[in-house]
């Protein structure tokens, strides 16, 4: 293969993007930071807008969060989304409002303001090996993203006076060998501080399932992955009995102590893709589909466990970014991340007490 046809590995960084009113309901079961599928969808839309003639091909995307502000109201221990009063847009609603003054119903929407950095793993054509051409391409991508939606939210310009020099999109070529690329990534990752990157922890979910099964009573139904996922999605408090000597009575007194299960790292439940519920229908076969030019399939969300880690603790670009994957045999559409926890940072099993 000639040098003109050989793709060259690179990293595209879109730093400190302010996103207003992003979708905070990431799935039917979770809320908070947008689903990682929202960012892989952005990557696909961006690749289509740039086109093959741009000389850049997108493979995976990573996200580093610098700020998250959920639009919620809080009273004590309870939180609720700050909902907006809907507009009357349908004729039936207008007639009903004129007749008896009944306003339209409110559809719950969760929103959040984000401050994020997007990192794309890309390959470049030989035409973008020149520094000036790469800078121009990065600027074009930045302008394109500024006019797009990220997780349903609008990309806002930097606040006046917030930064002396607003960061710009940057396209960096990676070195030839693995060691050179890892060294380059370490230098880049320190530019994304302070912030936290979302990575996959499927291993924690499997370990937790093994613990639950090992400690389950013999006559009980074996725990499932859903049980392990729910167990990691909440804060667990456990009670234990302890004998304490009584100085007055002279006999030990039994007391109950409560302790919170500990875990290594900032673990969160996240949706990672979709599982097929039906066959793949041809384009236009299903009425009401959003796009009648592509095949259609009914799906449901797939969940796993993620972890927020500091970017400087990651070894290379593959541990940060997520790539979309499809398994035709099982009908599974999910995002894959290659994060591997260090041995010293492995998940600590929880000891159960009677």
């Amino acid at each position: 293969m000639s040098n003109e046809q050989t793709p060259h590995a690179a990293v595209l960084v879109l730093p400190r993007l302010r996103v207003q009113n992003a979708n905070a309901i990431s799935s039917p079961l979770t809320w908070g930071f947008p689903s990682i599928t929202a960012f892989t969808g952005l990557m696909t839309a961006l690749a289509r807008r740039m086109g093959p003639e741009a000389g850049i091909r997108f493979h995976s995307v990573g996200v580093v969060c610098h700020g998250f502000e959920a639009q919620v109201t809080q009273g004590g221990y309870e939180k609720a989304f700050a909902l907006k009063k809907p507009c009357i847009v349908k004729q039936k609603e207008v007639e009903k409002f004129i007749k008896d003054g009944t306003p339209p119903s409110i559809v719950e929407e969760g929103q959040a303001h984000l401050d994020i950095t997007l990192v794309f793993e890309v390959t470049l054509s030989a035409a973008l090996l020149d520094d000036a051409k790469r800078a121009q391409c990065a600027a074009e991508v930045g302008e394109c993203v500024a006019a797009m939606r990220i997780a349903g939210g609008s990309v806002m310009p930097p606040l006046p006076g917030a930064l002396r020099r607003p960061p710009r999109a940057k396209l960096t070529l990676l070195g030839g060998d693995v060691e050179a690329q890892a060294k380059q990534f370490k230098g880049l990752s320190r530019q994304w501080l302070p912030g936290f990157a979302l990575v996959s922890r499927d291993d924690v979910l499997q370990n937790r399932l093994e613990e639950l099964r090992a400690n389950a009573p013999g006559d009980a139904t074996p725990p499932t992955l859903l049980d392990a996922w729910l167990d990691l999605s909440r804060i667990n408090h456990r009670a234990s009995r302890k004998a304490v000597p009584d100085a007055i009575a002279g006999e030990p007194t039994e007391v109950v102590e409560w302790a919170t299960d500990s875990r290594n790292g900032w673990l969160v439940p996240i949706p990672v893709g979709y599982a097929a519920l039906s066959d793949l229908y041809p384009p236009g076969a299903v009425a009401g589909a959003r796009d009648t030019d592509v095949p259609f399939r009914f799906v449901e969300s797939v969940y796993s466990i993620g972890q927020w880690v500091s970017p400087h603790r990651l070894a290379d670009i593959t541990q940060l970014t997520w790539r979309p994957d499809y398994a035709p045999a099982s009908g599974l559409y999910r995002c894959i991340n290659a994060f591997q926890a260090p041995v010293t940072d492995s998940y600590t099993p929880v000891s159960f007490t009677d």
Side-chain angles (χ1 to χ4, degrees):
M1 184 177 291
S2 65
N3 187 52
E4 291 293 328
Q5 299 175 341
T6 303
H8 302 271
V11 174
L12 172 65
V13 181
L14 302 179
R16 305 305 294 256
L17 298 175
R18 290 180 58 238
V19 184
Q20 188 178 65
N21 293 331
N23 181 24
I25 303 178
S26 54
S27 75
L29 297 179
T30 59
W31 81 276
F33 197 79
S35 170
I36 200 67
T37 55
F39 299 101
T40 56
L42 169 71
M43 179 178 66
T44 302
L46 182 58
R48 291 177 178 177
R49 289 200 178 191
M50 296 297 295
E53 63 277 2
I56 181 172
R57 183 177 180 184
F58 297 84
H59 299 282
S60 59
V61 58
V63 56
V64 180
C65 182
H66 309 285
F68 176 86
E69 182 183 352
Q71 301 304 292
V72 296
T73 59
Q74 184 172 354
Y77 292 98
E78 297 182 357
K79 294 182 180 180
F81 287 118
L83 302 180
K84 300 178 181 178
K85 190 174 182 179
C87 299
I88 302 178
V89 295
K90 296 183 179 180
Q91 182 64 26
K92 291 183 178 180
E93 293 179 348
V94 173
E95 295 175 355
K96 189 175 182 181
F97 181 75
I98 295 175
K99 181 178 180 180
D100 54 13
T102 303
S105 59
I106 296 178
V107 178
E108 186 178 34
E109 294 181 352
Q111 296 177 337
H113 300 336
L114 308 176
D115 184 3
I116 58 176
T117 291
L118 296 180
V119 183
F120 297 91
E121 186 181 12
V122 300
T123 51
L124 307 177
S125 64
L128 294 178
L129 295 181
D130 181 69
D131 293 344
K133 292 291 184 63
R134 284 202 313 276
Q136 181 181 357
C137 180
E140 292 176 356
V141 173
E143 293 176 359
C144 187
V145 171
M148 298 175 65
R149 294 273 187 169
I150 298 180
S154 304
V155 180
M156 307 298 292
L159 293 174
L163 298 173
R164 294 183 179 179
R165 294 182 180 179
R168 300 179 180 179
K170 188 176 182 180
L171 190 55
T172 304
L173 278 173
L174 294 178
D177 55 359
V178 177
E179 294 183 0
Q181 293 183 8
K183 185 177 181 180
Q184 277 184 290
F185 178 78
K186 283 295 183 182
L188 290 172
S189 63
R190 283 170 170 77
Q191 300 176 14
W192 309 327
L193 300 176
F196 292 90
L198 183 62
V199 298
S200 174
R201 293 308 304 268
D202 293 351
D203 57 326
V204 172
L205 185 60
Q206 291 294 335
N207 293 341
R208 190 60 174 150
L209 176 61
E210 295 176 1
E211 294 172 19
L212 293 179
R213 289 179 174 176
N215 292 276
D219 56 346
T221 303
T224 63
L225 273 174
L226 178 60
D227 296 320
W229 184 79
L230 291 173
D231 190 76
L232 289 171
S233 302
R234 60 181 178 243
I235 299 176
N236 297 312
H237 303 279
R238 305 186 188 276
S240 61
R241 295 184 178 91
K242 183 179 180 180
V244 178
D246 192 337
I248 299 177
E251 297 180 357
T253 303
E254 189 178 72
V255 297
V256 177
E257 293 184 351
W258 287 88
T260 304
D261 290 352
S262 62
R263 61 187 67 175
N264 289 348
W266 184 358
L267 301 177
V268 290
I270 57 172
V272 293
Y274 306 94
L277 294 176
S278 67
D279 296 331
L280 191 63
Y281 298 105
V286 179
R290 180 178 298 179
D291 192 341
T292 57
D293 296 329
V294 297
F296 184 90
R297 169 174 274 175
F298 291 95
V299 297
E300 64 178 349
S301 296
V302 175
Y303 303 91
S304 185
I305 293 295
Q307 182 179 0
W308 291 102
V309 298
S310 181
H312 78 282
R313 297 186 181 276
L314 304 177
D316 53 50
I317 186 69
T318 61
Q319 291 196 3
L320 169 66
T321 59
W322 298 73
R323 60 177 178 84
D325 182 73
Y326 169 54
S330 59
L332 182 62
Y333 304 80
R334 71 157 296 176
C335 301
I336 304 296
N337 174 254
F339 175 77
Q340 294 182 355
V343 177
T344 56
D345 192 36
S346 58
Y347 178 71
T348 303
V350 177
S351 59
F352 292 82
T353 57
D354 296 333

